[in-house]
Amino acid sequence: MSTLEIHQIPVLHDNYLYLFKDPQSGNVGIVDPAVAEPVLEKLDELGWTLTHIINTHHHMDHTGANLELKEKTGCTIVGAEIDAARIPGIDIRVKDGDIYEFGAQKAHVFEVPGHTSGHIAYWFEESDALFCGDTLFALGCGRLFEGTPAQMWHSIGKFRNLPDQTKVYCAHEYTESNARFAVTVDPKNAALLSRFDEILEKRKHLIPTVPSTLGEEKATNPFMRADDPGLQAALGLSGADPVAVFAETRARKDSF
């Protein structure tokens, strides 16, 4: 099977949108369109016609262009059944465990509450692509605006079960800030220290650090490693419940 052709579109201060096409059907989707103009410009540049909007959650920097793009292209809007009332223009409602068929491509749908109560993610297995919105970032995770540490740890656990080669198409370029925090709570992690240097070099030249891979995140992202003895020891929480370790890590990041 052919895989998705994916284009990253930077918008606003630090958002990333993802425009993608299924070569077999010609379907074209945009993930979490904050604003319309850059999407329309990229579509024109590529000669593509938008058929779908794929939303991960309701925040305006993820749904702000839903209605304008739908009006201009007639596209179909896909979002969480559990949060349908907050997804502008929603047409197709998906839930945890669904397989959403995007042309010839199939996306596994995960409900991943924590950042928001109705957050979802889409894993296109054949394309090794995870569109995770604001649940997981490169070396970070989303703030807990509507969920609990237990919910977010459980949500991130769903990603830990996916293959290491999966690319993490998160929605923001927060990596440098996340890295500066990560080394304060996991200072003896050699893989993290090496990655930190690489990130600083990339950002010095304004090179995107996204997507990363789940393998990188499992090895270096403190929010994916709350059950790791090394991280627990560094936090003074050896043997603690991973939820408590996650909560402490998140609290420290919130005040970093």
Side-chain angles (χ1 to χ4, degrees), residues 10-226:
V11 301
L12 304 178
H13 178 62
D14 52 32
N15 280 63
Y16 287 133
L17 314 184
Y18 298 103
L19 187 67
F20 60 89
K21 182 177 185 178
D22 167 36
Q24 289 184 246
S25 67
N27 282 4
V28 174
I30 185 74
V31 180
D32 288 346
V35 287
E37 186 174 348
V39 178
L40 296 169
E41 289 177 353
K42 192 66 175 179
L43 288 165
D44 185 60
E45 174 191 325
L46 295 170
W48 291 1
T49 300
L50 188 68
T51 60
H52 293 77
I53 289 171
I54 308 294
N55 285 137
T56 64
H57 65 294
H58 75 275
H59 286 160
M60 280 299 293
D61 62 331
H62 295 257
T63 63
N66 274 22
L67 297 182
E68 182 178 350
L69 289 173
K70 186 173 185 176
E71 179 183 356
K72 290 182 176 178
T73 68
C75 65
T76 297
I77 298 176
V78 183
E81 178 178 272
I82 195 173
D83 213 19
R86 298 194 290 182
I87 304 296
I90 190 170
D91 298 298
I92 296 176
R93 306 175 184 203
V94 294
K95 62 184 184 302
D96 193 63
D98 281 355
I99 304 293
Y100 174 65
E101 295 188 5
F102 181 79
Q105 309 289 326
K106 294 182 179 180
H108 299 258
V109 178
F110 302 105
E111 290 176 5
V112 284
H115 180 64
T116 68
S117 59
H119 204 301
I120 59 174
Y122 306 81
W123 174 44
F124 286 85
E125 182 176 3
E126 296 295 329
S127 296
D128 289 325
L130 175 66
F131 297 106
C132 54
D134 287 357
T135 297
L136 183 68
F137 296 129
L139 286 178
C141 75
R143 286 180 178 266
L144 306 185
F145 290 127
E146 297 178 5
T148 66
Q151 285 179 311
M152 191 64 133
W153 175 244
H154 179 71
S155 295
I156 288 174
K158 295 182 179 182
F159 300 154
R160 297 207 312 170
N161 293 326
L162 302 182
D164 286 358
Q165 72 268 19
T166 304
K167 293 184 177 66
V168 180
Y169 291 97
C170 65
H172 293 276
E173 181 59 70
Y174 291 163
T175 316
E176 182 176 349
S177 174
N178 289 341
R180 292 186 184 279
F181 168 74
V183 297
T184 70
V185 294
D186 201 9
K188 295 182 179 180
N189 185 331
L192 171 60
L193 296 175
S194 175
R195 188 178 177 194
F196 181 51
D197 290 339
E198 293 171 5
I199 288 164
L200 293 182
E201 184 65 21
K202 281 186 175 182
R203 294 313 296 157
K204 184 167 66 176
H205 299 287
L206 301 180
I207 298 170
T209 63
V210 177
S212 59
T213 68
L214 276 178
E216 290 178 299
E217 300 308 322
K218 292 173 189 179
T220 60
N221 187 330
F223 297 101
M224 296 198 85
R225 301 176 57 249

Side-chain angles (χ1 to χ4, degrees), residues 229-246:
L231 178 64
Q232 291 185 348
L235 291 168
L237 292 171
S238 292
D241 184 331
V243 172
V245 177
F246 178 89

